[in-house]
Amino acid sequence: MASLLSNRLVTRVLRPAFTLVEQRMERVTHAFQKDLDALHHEVADLRRQSYGLGLLLGEPGRDGHRMPTAPQVDRLVGEVCAVTGAPAERARGDVAVVYRQVVALEALGVGAVGGALSDVCGRLAAVPLLAGRGGGDVLEVLEAGAGHGLFAAALRRMLGRGGVEARLTLVDAPEGAAPREEAVRANLALGGADGGAARLVRGALADAEVRARLADRRYGVVLLADARDAEAVRDLAAPGALVVVPAGAPGPDAAPSAPGGGAGLPDHRAAAGGQGAADPVRAAGTTLVEDRPPSEDGPTGSAVRGTHLGRVADSAYFRTV
């Protein structure tokens, strides 16, 4: 074969065919190179865009990134529907709105919204769907573990979208261990109201003096950062109030935590103490706090009893009776 191709006559006869093959290869190579160059430009553009998106939604400065995936959002929407009974379209719309609220408030405010993104968005979507006015024109809202106040600002906005006026009472760590009051009130102002109208109480719900300061109101929505505080609010929750507490250890169908703690949706995370720790919510069944007989020091007060509505992300939802 090599000797045949080296023959001058054969080479002369086959030259037009060789030329045609070379031309076709050049055209294919040129087209491929153009596609490859376009792909390089698109990748470079995507890298530039993703860098900017990472600055807006990335992990630095907060518990985790704010970039959920479609399956994660679908699961959260399903949980909100199951607990609230809202149509899927309504729940999906509310989840999208609260996600934008969280991103906007963290971009404008001081600090970050604490907790897993799933739990934050779940509470902000589910609470307005479940909350009532508590028999008055104003809905009294009590949040324990308020942090920088960004969650409360977002919740007030979401309640306002449904025509509910909320009056906020925020309880957080003693002065010095919590964000400055000026920063909290500035964040609350981002919720569309006078930040000075909210009541800030420093201390722990386990402290009798703190509970005494809160006792002048009966709250239609109670949001707790620690399930052990459920007993402390038994005399503060109004009849028919919505009480939201951490659900404790994940259920058997819960997804593992996303890397970085709080990064992903749904990121069902165990409460302090790990998965082996006792879950005060599950241990009580549909009762937040067990009945206890009066002690020698005086009556303990009626227990906070509530119907278990279900769970969204890391939180369990109860309706007091």
Side-chain angles (χ1 to χ4, degrees), residues 10-310:
V10 174
T11 303
R12 183 178 299 177
V13 172
L14 295 178
R15 182 173 296 165
F18 288 157
T19 302
L20 182 60
V21 171
E22 289 176 352
Q23 290 174 349
R24 290 184 176 180
M25 289 183 65
E26 286 179 358
R27 286 197 296 269
V28 171
T29 303
H30 181 68
F32 178 74
Q33 187 62 49
K34 287 180 61 178
D35 291 342
L36 187 61
D37 291 342
L39 183 60
H40 285 161
H41 287 303
E42 290 179 7
V43 170
D45 288 341
L46 286 174
R47 285 177 176 171
R48 285 192 292 269
Q49 294 171 15
S50 65
Y51 179 76
L53 188 63
L55 291 178
L56 178 64
L57 303 176
E59 185 172 350
R62 50 190 162 206
D63 288 347
H65 68 72
R66 300 304 193 227
M67 292 180 280
T69 65
Q72 291 169 338
V73 173
D74 290 343
R75 176 170 180 173
L76 184 62
V77 169
E79 292 176 347
V80 172
C81 289
V83 170
T84 65
E89 184 178 357
R90 168 70 185 276
R92 184 172 297 277
D94 285 358
V95 168
V97 170
V98 301
Y99 172 72
R100 292 194 290 265
Q101 294 267 15
V102 170
V103 172
L105 288 171
E106 288 187 329
L108 296 173
V110 178
V113 180
L117 179 60
S118 61
D119 200 44
V120 171
C121 290
R123 288 191 178 202
L124 289 174
V127 168
L129 292 171
L130 293 170
R133 293 180 181 273
D137 296 330
V138 177
L139 177 64
E140 299 287 353
V141 177
L142 172 63
E143 182 188 5
H148 289 86
L150 288 173
F151 177 87
L155 180 61
R156 192 183 189 286
R157 276 188 173 275
M158 290 303 297
L159 289 168
R161 290 179 77 247
V164 177
E165 181 182 354
R167 186 162 62 167
L168 304 175
T169 298
L170 309 182
V171 180
D172 209 346
E175 198 72 50
R180 292 181 300 107
E181 181 173 335
E182 294 80 1
V184 174
R185 294 198 181 279
N187 285 342
L188 290 173
L190 297 174
D194 180 9
R199 179 168 63 172
L200 303 184
V201 178
R202 299 296 189 186
L205 283 176
D207 187 343
E209 183 178 347
V210 171
R211 295 197 303 275
R213 294 181 60 187
L214 303 175
D216 60 332
R217 302 177 186 177
R218 287 296 175 266
Y219 301 92
V221 172
V222 178
L223 304 163
L224 303 178
D226 190 337
R228 291 170 296 186
D229 286 335
E231 181 179 1
V233 299
R234 64 179 183 269
D235 296 325
L236 301 176
L242 177 66
V243 181
V244 184
V245 301
D253 60 342
S257 297
L265 271 164
D267 187 18
H268 298 302
R269 297 183 298 178
Q275 294 191 20
D279 184 345
V281 175
R282 279 211 231 131
T286 59
T287 303
L288 271 69
V289 181
E290 298 293 344
D291 286 320
R292 295 188 303 174
S295 65
E296 294 181 358
D297 298 328
T300 60
S302 60
V304 177
R305 287 194 170 276
T307 302
H308 183 218
L309 303 177

